[in-house]
Amino acid sequence: MPVLRSIALAASHQEWSWIRSEINAIAEEIKRCTDGRLLARGASIHREIAGSSHAKNRYLANKLIEMYGKCGNAQAAKSIYDGIQAPNCFSKTMMLSAFLRNGQLQPAMAMFFADPAVPSSSSGDVVLWNTMLQGLCDLGHLDQARLLFDRFPQWNVVSWNALMTAVAEDGDCASAKELFEGMPERDMVSWNVFFFHSCTLNGELSTARIALARAPQHSVVTWTAMITAYSSHGYLDEARSLFDTMAEHNIVTWNAIIVAYTQTGQVDQAKYAFDKMPYQDVISWTAMVTAYAASGHVLTARALFNDAVYRDMVSWNTLLSAYSLNGHFEQGREIFLKAPVRDVVSWNVMVSANAQYGHLEESRKLFNEMPCRNSVTCNALMLAHAQAGDTSQALEIFERMPQQDITSWNIVLTTYAQKGELDAAQRIFSAIPVASIVTLNAMMAAYAEVGKVSHARHIFDSITQERNLITWNSMIQAYAQNGLMEDSFHFFQLMVLDGIKPDELTAFAVLTACSYGGKVAEAREHLVAMVEDHGLSPSYELYGFMADIIARSGELSYAEELIASLSNSADSVAWTSLLGACRLQSDIQRGQRVALLAATSDRQDSAPYSLLANMSMEEM
């Protein structure tokens, strides 16, 4: 039964004292379509209205403009607007909003400035000005938004709040604060915008505390913002103290404290708060599933997911990532196939997981089946081909991308750098629109790989942003692998003075420098210092490398003792390396013992027997 007829019949069977008018009932149907983004049903109602006595009703026309605008069809909205005999301020506002919501800035600007009512300062026109201002802010045109704001015939608190929010979200805390202080009047939204966006999101905790004390009243948004601010900057005790002092909590504040715990790795505390909640929503459940998955408790995350009353795409994707990218590929595939809806994140996880496990054909198949792709998808497949040594396929994906981001450029640059193709790496480096620290690190490594240490040093010195651990390691390794031991040691000391904590790659680089320079004592000293002074926990591979350095210096007994101390974790590579040193020192007796140990570590490796045979032949 057509919508209008069913509404009319319902009206005829109800008492007039409590029934809504037919017009309002139709408007309610349109609103349901607007709220639910039901474009097809909304268009059907539109067709029925067009063939009825309400075809010229401005109120319904305005509602249809709003519906089409929010459902993504600005042209249909414009068609209705053009058919209104006398558009009112609401008509103009809805049409302007439809253009802006759908990113159509030019027709919005043309309509706004062509309106003869724009220069006036009536309250209705302020709504129109505010709509245009909000649209510019939402579309990221802050310079134009500021110019428009300065032209306002009159402002209201909504005008100030809109610009302040946009400026603060853009990271300009100082300008947001200036706008806040210049407001002739403030409402609760003003305080919360300044407090949350200007202070907490930009790390201005001291300003946030002052604002909290100055605010005439506090809402749940205020408290939640402060809890979020404390927790995101590592002040979890303060966040919990503030939570405990609140007179009442709602679902938002409970979720804020749960997220605070999960972000700092305190999963048990998060679960305790989760269990104490009067009720949980989808954010609560998703936060806990994410927390367990991130901490490696995949089975617990799955159990909680299965118990969840509410699930959304984030919780499905979280579980999918936890399984697919952490050694449970088949279970991840099962979750992917069971998901009621898949978004681009779901597809990206599966493309990446297949690539990670070497299933390039399956990864490419999924890539081709995706309903829509983004740069993350392309980068995942490109990286997979690059890591598999298939440079041509990686480059083909790069060339076919509709838009490359900095990650895309870095993957190509790193691919060339690792293959030692310096000319190609330099071409990519020169073409990158904006070089990130990852870009600079990759180019340094490319120069070091071919022995051009001075070029690597030039890039290092040119870095204006903060140098990270990889930057320092790249330079230390560059000097080390090119035999410049003292320079490598010097840069290691500079890194420590810069407050950067060394990792195992740093240790390998420094020990490499010692190895090339024949400095066994220095190698021992550096390794001990990294353990005792910097808290490094050396891997068996690092100990094995140290043993190799010692063995090459002729201290075979000490090297054997060090490798043996690794117990069952000593691999055949370490023993075979020692066996090679035994051969150089002509220590046949030790060589026989070490060969047996090497063969026991890896029964498939015939190298120890070959080395031992050669040693025996040389002694004959």
Side-chain angles (χ1 to χ4, degrees):
M1 182 184 294
V3 173
L4 299 193
R5 187 182 170 198
S6 64
I7 291 172
L9 287 172
S12 66
H13 292 103
Q14 304 293 332
E15 293 293 334
W16 180 255
S17 59
W18 59 273
I19 192 172
R20 293 172 300 186
S21 69
E22 185 177 290
I23 295 291
N24 286 336
I26 297 170
E28 279 297 315
E29 285 295 320
I30 298 172
K31 185 178 183 300
R32 289 191 189 95
C33 297
T34 303
D35 294 341
R37 303 299 188 265
L38 306 174
L39 179 59
R41 178 167 171 75
S44 174
I45 295 173
H46 176 201
R47 286 191 294 272
E48 290 186 49
I49 293 172
S52 73
S53 59
H54 304 303
K56 300 296 183 182
N57 185 281
R58 188 173 62 187
Y59 175 65
L60 293 180
N62 289 342
K63 288 293 183 183
L64 286 170
I65 292 171
E66 182 182 25
M67 183 276 294
Y68 277 121
K70 290 186 176 180
C71 289
N73 193 337
Q75 294 311 309
K78 182 64 165 61
S79 175
I80 295 171
Y81 178 81
D82 290 341
I84 299 176
Q85 292 181 353
N88 59 11
C89 185
F90 188 78
S91 313
K92 297 170 188 175
T93 302
M94 287 299 101
M95 190 61 243
L96 189 63
S97 181
F99 278 136
L100 293 167
R101 183 182 293 274
N102 291 280
Q104 298 183 23
L105 182 59
Q106 291 306 317
M109 296 280 280
M111 175 186 170
F112 178 75
F113 287 109
D115 193 325
V118 160
S120 75
S121 58
S122 68
S123 60
D125 295 322
V126 172
V127 175
L128 199 64
W129 281 82
N130 284 341
T131 302
M132 191 69 222
L133 176 67
Q134 188 66 61
L136 288 170
C137 292
D138 291 343
L139 293 172
H141 299 282
L142 283 189
D143 290 339
Q144 292 186 57
R146 290 172 192 264
L147 289 173
L148 183 71
F149 182 81
D150 292 338
R151 291 183 57 185
F152 264 50
Q154 72 172 47
W155 302 281
N156 61 13
V157 70
V158 176
S159 321
W160 288 91
N161 288 345
L163 186 60
M164 182 171 62
T165 303
V167 169
E169 288 180 343
D170 194 50
D172 190 352
C173 187
S175 295
K177 184 176 181 181
E178 184 180 337
L179 283 165
F180 178 78
E181 297 296 348
M183 292 179 70
E185 60 174 327
R186 306 182 185 107
D187 60 5
M188 196 68 238
V189 174
S190 313
W191 282 98
N192 286 338
V193 165
F194 174 67
F195 180 77
F196 184 68
H197 291 291
S198 301
C199 304
T200 61
L201 290 186
N202 294 292
E204 298 281 346
L205 286 182
S206 58
T207 308
R209 291 189 186 100
I210 295 170
L212 187 67
R214 286 177 58 194
Q217 57 182 327
H218 302 139
S219 69
V220 68
V221 176
T222 313
W223 294 109
T224 304
M226 199 68 203
I227 291 170
T228 303
Y230 277 134
S231 61
S232 62
H233 292 87
Y235 299 102
L236 189 58
D237 290 340
E238 287 85 345
R240 182 61 203 237
S241 176
L242 195 63
F243 179 83
D244 290 339
T245 60
M246 292 176 64
E248 59 178 334
H249 307 110
N250 66 7
I251 190 71
V252 179
T253 48
W254 277 105
N255 285 339
I257 198 67
I258 287 173
V259 171
Y261 281 127
T262 60
Q263 287 178 340
T264 53
Q266 300 191 38
V267 183
D268 291 340
Q269 288 291 337
K271 184 62 166 61
Y272 178 75
F274 177 83
D275 290 337
K276 285 187 67 177
M277 294 177 72
Y279 68 94
Q280 296 91 6
D281 65 3
V282 68
I283 296 174
S284 324
W285 286 99
T286 302
M288 288 310 307
V289 170
T290 303
Y292 279 117
S295 61
H297 298 92
V298 180
L299 296 180
T300 308
R302 179 63 184 265
L304 198 64
F305 176 85
N306 291 339
D307 292 340
V309 178
Y310 306 101
R311 297 172 188 156
D312 61 3
M313 279 305 309
V314 177
S315 52
W316 277 97
N317 288 338
T318 297
L319 200 65
L320 174 62
S321 299
Y323 274 106
S324 302
L325 303 177
N326 291 288
H328 306 279
F329 179 74
E330 290 303 326
Q331 292 94 324
R333 189 204 299 270
E334 175 193 337
I335 292 166
F336 177 77
L337 294 174
K338 282 184 176 179
V341 181
R342 301 179 194 121
D343 63 4
V344 69
V345 176
S346 321
W347 287 92
N348 284 345
V349 169
M350 286 310 296
V351 168
S352 298
N354 274 283
Q356 180 178 304
Y357 289 96
H359 307 149
L360 277 182
E361 288 187 14
E362 180 65 20
S363 186
R364 191 64 185 249
K365 180 174 176 289
L366 285 167
F367 179 83
N368 292 331
E369 290 174 357
M370 289 181 69
C372 62
R373 308 181 188 111
N374 58 15
S375 60
V376 176
T377 324
C378 299
N379 289 340
L381 191 61
M382 183 165 56
L383 181 61
H385 280 291
Q387 289 176 337
D390 192 351
T391 310
S392 59
Q393 278 292 332
L395 291 175
E396 181 185 336
I397 295 168
F398 177 79
E399 305 262 342
R400 291 173 59 185
M401 287 178 70
Q403 186 174 4
Q404 297 98 348
D405 59 14
I406 188 63
T407 303
S408 319
W409 287 96
N410 286 340
I411 290 170
V412 176
L413 175 62
T414 304
T415 301
Y416 281 130
Q418 291 175 344
K419 293 185 69 177
E421 297 183 24
L422 184 61
D423 291 342
Q426 285 176 319
R427 284 197 305 272
I428 294 294
F429 184 71
S430 300
I432 291 177
V434 180
S436 69
I437 191 70
V438 176
T439 313
L440 298 168
N441 290 343
M443 198 62 223
M444 285 169 58
Y447 280 127
E449 191 68 28
V450 296
K452 295 194 174 185
V453 183
S454 61
H455 289 69
R457 175 63 185 273
H458 176 72
I459 291 179
F460 181 90
D461 291 338
S462 70
I463 295 175
T464 56
Q465 51 203 301
E466 186 175 348
R467 299 181 179 106
N468 60 20
L469 176 62
I470 298 173
T471 314
W472 286 100
N473 280 350
S474 297
M475 204 61 234
I476 295 168
Q477 180 66 29
Y479 282 124
Q481 70 188 32
N482 286 282
L484 301 170
M485 182 183 65
E486 293 301 330
D487 290 310
S488 185
F489 292 166
H490 177 63
F491 260 73
F492 171 66
Q493 294 300 328
L494 289 177
M495 183 187 86
V496 172
L497 290 173
D498 201 42
I500 304 295
K501 186 177 180 180
D503 66 354
E504 187 152 284
L505 291 178
T506 318
F508 268 111
V510 172
L511 293 187
T512 299
C514 294
S515 176
Y516 283 154
K519 302 290 185 180
V520 180
E522 285 85 346
R524 286 174 180 160
E525 290 172 7
H526 278 297
L527 185 58
V528 170
M530 288 200 193
V531 172
E532 294 183 353
D533 299 339
H534 304 293
L536 181 71
S537 298
S539 65
Y540 295 115
E541 289 78 13
L542 186 59
Y543 276 126
F545 185 42
M546 184 70 231
D548 181 56
I549 295 172
I550 294 169
R552 290 176 184 277
S553 72
E555 298 184 44
L556 299 180
S557 297
Y558 182 51
E560 183 180 358
E561 182 183 333
L562 180 60
I563 297 174
S565 71
L566 304 180
S567 186
N568 296 330
S569 298
D571 59 15
S572 64
V573 175
W575 287 117
T576 303
S577 177
L578 178 57
L579 181 57
C582 292
R583 179 187 177 188
L584 291 174
Q585 301 293 324
S586 300
D587 191 338
I588 298 291
Q589 185 177 0
R590 190 186 308 276
Q592 290 174 336
R593 183 169 64 250
V594 170
L596 180 61
L597 291 167
T600 305
S601 298
D602 186 355
R603 299 183 184 279
Q604 304 298 316
D605 188 4
S606 61
Y609 295 111
S610 298
L611 272 172
L612 186 60
N614 289 336
M615 286 175 65
S616 301
M617 291 290 293
E618 289 166 359
E619 286 296 307
M620 292 177 62

